[in-house]
């Protein structure tokens, strides 16, 4: 009887697993369809100087709205795109679209406002990555100085000397590099120095804690100290309250991004927002 019960629970387990797999296969199928049907789009979130209040850049963030209007967050579909390899084509589309938008910004007099693009580790491992990047820049006519690539900390540190070489080439093309979600991985300080990155993005989790009971505020302070010593600019993500912005500025953090300043916006709204804020500040 014990055997039977065991067999029953194994069967239940298998059913659970296969349902999960079926769900994933289904979602991947829908994602591929949505991608080729142009149902993915970019939104843009301003990056602000905590000192002057001016907009210095925007981060391009991918969105998927299904035919029935449901929004699927990137945290759910990007891992799927990574596992299936679809991220290579999708990421190339993101680079092209973001470069086009940046070129358009320059045409409207905002050529010093940077465009930050998230890049997945799978894209970096693709041997044609640099070629795709170069083509996106050339075809859009954007100045490479206007483009920044965001790479998560775990990726940047995990891949060792290959990353240092790749970063060198990207920097040589004139682009900026930012380490995303900084503080959540394990950085080697010597790596960090040799990688010659332009910016560290302090993870939202630590910003949340500022002014609260958690230790996140302390970590944000430590990262700011580190950036200051190494001469790397700092940007805080997920600023929701003015007190957080004030505290971060005192810690030596130069830039910020978050709902307190602006939410990510579709391209039309972003263009209007940028025209309105370019002069005055946020
Ligand atoms: P991330 O690169 O760390 O992006 C920051 C996330 O924080 C975004 O979530 C943004 O909407 C959110 N955020 C910004 N300000 C605030 C705030 O004040 N409060 C809160 N609670 N959240 C805020 P989103 O757009 O859902 O993206 C999630 C992640 O998906 C991104 O994290 C990034 O890792 C990934 N992702 C998004 N677009 C792309 C893309 O085009 N390519 C790749 N490879 N990854 C992407
Ligand atoms: Mg990012
Ligand atoms: Mg981030
Ligand atoms: Mg994050």
């Amino acid at each position: 009887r014990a055997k039977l019960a065991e067999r029953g629970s194994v069967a239940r387990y298998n059913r659970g697993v296969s349902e999960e797999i079926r769900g994933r296969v289904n979602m991947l199928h829908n994602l591929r369809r949505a991608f080729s049907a142009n149902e993915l789009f970019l939104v843009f979130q301003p990056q602000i100087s905590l000192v002057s209040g001016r907009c210095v850049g925007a981060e391009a963030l991918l969105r998927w709205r299904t035919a029935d209007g449901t929004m699927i967050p990137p945290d759910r579909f990007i891992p799927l795109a990574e596992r299936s390899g679809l991220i290579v084509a999708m990421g190339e589309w993101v680079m092209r679209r973001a470069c086009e938008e940046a070129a358009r910004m320059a045409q409207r007099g905002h050529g010093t406002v940077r465009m930050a693009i998230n890049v997945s580790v799978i894209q970096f491992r693709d041997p044609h990555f640099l070629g795709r990047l170069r083509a996106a820049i050339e075809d859009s006519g954007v100045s490479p100085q206007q483009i920044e690539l965001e790479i998560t900390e775990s990726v940047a540190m995990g891949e060792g000397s290959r990353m240092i070489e790749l970063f060198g080439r990207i920097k040589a093309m004139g682009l900026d590099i930012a380490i995303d979600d900084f503080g959540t991985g394990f950085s080697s300080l010597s790596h960090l120095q040799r990688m010659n990155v332009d910016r560290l993005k302090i993870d939202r989790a630590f910003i949340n804690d500022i002014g609260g009971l958690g230790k996140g505020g302390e970590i944000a302070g430590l990262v700011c100290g580190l950036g200051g010593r190494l001469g790397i600019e700092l940007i805080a993500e997920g600023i929701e309250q003015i007190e957080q912005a004030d505290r971060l500025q005192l810690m030596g953090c130069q830039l910020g991004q978050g709902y307190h300043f602006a939410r990510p916006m579709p391209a039309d709204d972003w263009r209007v927002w940028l025209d309105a804020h370019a002069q005055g500040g946020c």
Side-chain angles (χ1 to χ4, degrees), residues 63-89:
R63 292 290 177 266
W64 176 14
R65 194 192 294 113
T66 62
D68 66 2
T70 316
M71 290 288 275
I72 303 183
D75 289 332
R76 277 190 59 207
F77 70 82
I78 283 173
L80 193 65
E82 287 178 328
R83 273 197 300 270
S84 64
L86 180 61
I87 193 72
V88 172

